[in-house]
Amino acid sequence: MSGTATGAESAPSLPRRAFHLFSDALGALGTIWIFALVLLVCADVFGRSLLGAPVRGVAEIVSMSIVGIVFLQLAGASKAGRLTRSAAVLQRLLLRRPRIGLSMEVAFQLCGAALFLVLFEASLPYFARAWERGEYVGALGDFTAPTWPVRLLILVGSVAAALQFLLAAADAIRRLLRVRR
């Protein structure tokens, strides 16, 4: 269950369409970032092999980028139903006992939203500290990069994922209310 509207349901509202456009844009940015990382790693390999001069900071950039990319793509992955979960029991229940299956779907979606809201709250002080203190990765005089941009992406991605889970929960609740006893 991805939480997307089916053909039998009405067209998504303007705020929902705007949010989906936003989450799709985050995912696209993550994809572009992956491509840029590939180019950076290739340039580093080329520089090391042929010129004897690696690109400085590649390890730091890649390690921070992985976190940023994951959080950029969370909402889109949730919307598309691509987050890892065991759906075998749920699918069977949806077919045989739809009220129970949809109730479990609502619970799953609400737990996902709660998890990402807790993650947002837990990450907020780390972002504030990185911003206020100018935290960076790398070594002074060689390569440094601020950590706050990635910490901001954790916050943005957490909120976007939580909102996507809440939208999916609302969809499941609507389907649950339409199921006959």
Side-chain angles (χ1 to χ4, degrees):
M1 309 307 301
S2 66
T4 58
T6 63
E9 297 176 10
S10 62
S13 65
L14 181 61
R16 184 178 283 234
R17 286 194 319 263
F19 174 72
H20 285 167
L21 183 64
F22 175 70
S23 68
D24 290 345
L26 290 177
L29 182 59
T31 301
I32 292 167
W33 196 345
I34 291 169
F35 182 71
L37 279 180
V38 168
L39 294 177
L40 178 65
V41 169
C42 287
D44 185 51
V45 169
F46 178 79
R48 284 177 191 273
S49 299
L50 299 177
L51 306 174
V55 176
R56 294 177 187 237
V58 170
E60 292 86 354
I61 293 169
V62 169
S63 65
M64 288 195 325
S65 293
I66 291 169
V67 175
I69 290 165
V70 166
F71 279 89
L72 281 171
Q73 296 192 336
L74 273 172
S78 177
K79 180 178 79 167
R82 292 187 314 242
L83 290 182
T84 303
R85 69 186 230 186
S86 176
V89 173
L90 181 61
Q91 293 302 323
R92 185 170 277 148
L93 280 172
L94 286 170
L95 291 173
R96 295 192 175 131
R97 304 286 303 243
R99 292 183 70 75
I100 293 172
L102 286 168
S103 296
M104 284 180 62
E105 179 70 16
V106 169
F108 169 79
Q109 300 296 348
L110 291 175
C111 285
L115 173 76
F116 282 104
L117 290 174
V118 167
L119 185 59
F120 173 85
E121 183 179 357
S123 299
L124 194 54
Y126 292 101
F127 168 74
R129 185 180 69 214
W131 178 268
E132 291 165 0
R133 295 182 184 173
E135 289 181 354
Y136 62 89
V137 296
L140 285 174
D142 182 37
F143 172 84
T144 59
T147 61
W148 71 262
V150 172
R151 295 193 186 280
L152 179 61
L153 291 178
I154 292 170
L155 296 176
V156 171
S158 294
V159 169
L163 287 172
Q164 182 57 51
F165 274 104
L166 289 173
L167 289 173
D171 291 343
I173 289 169
R174 276 194 291 281
R175 290 192 313 271
L176 178 61
L177 294 174
R178 288 194 302 255
V179 171
R180 297 183 193 254
R181 292 181 185 233

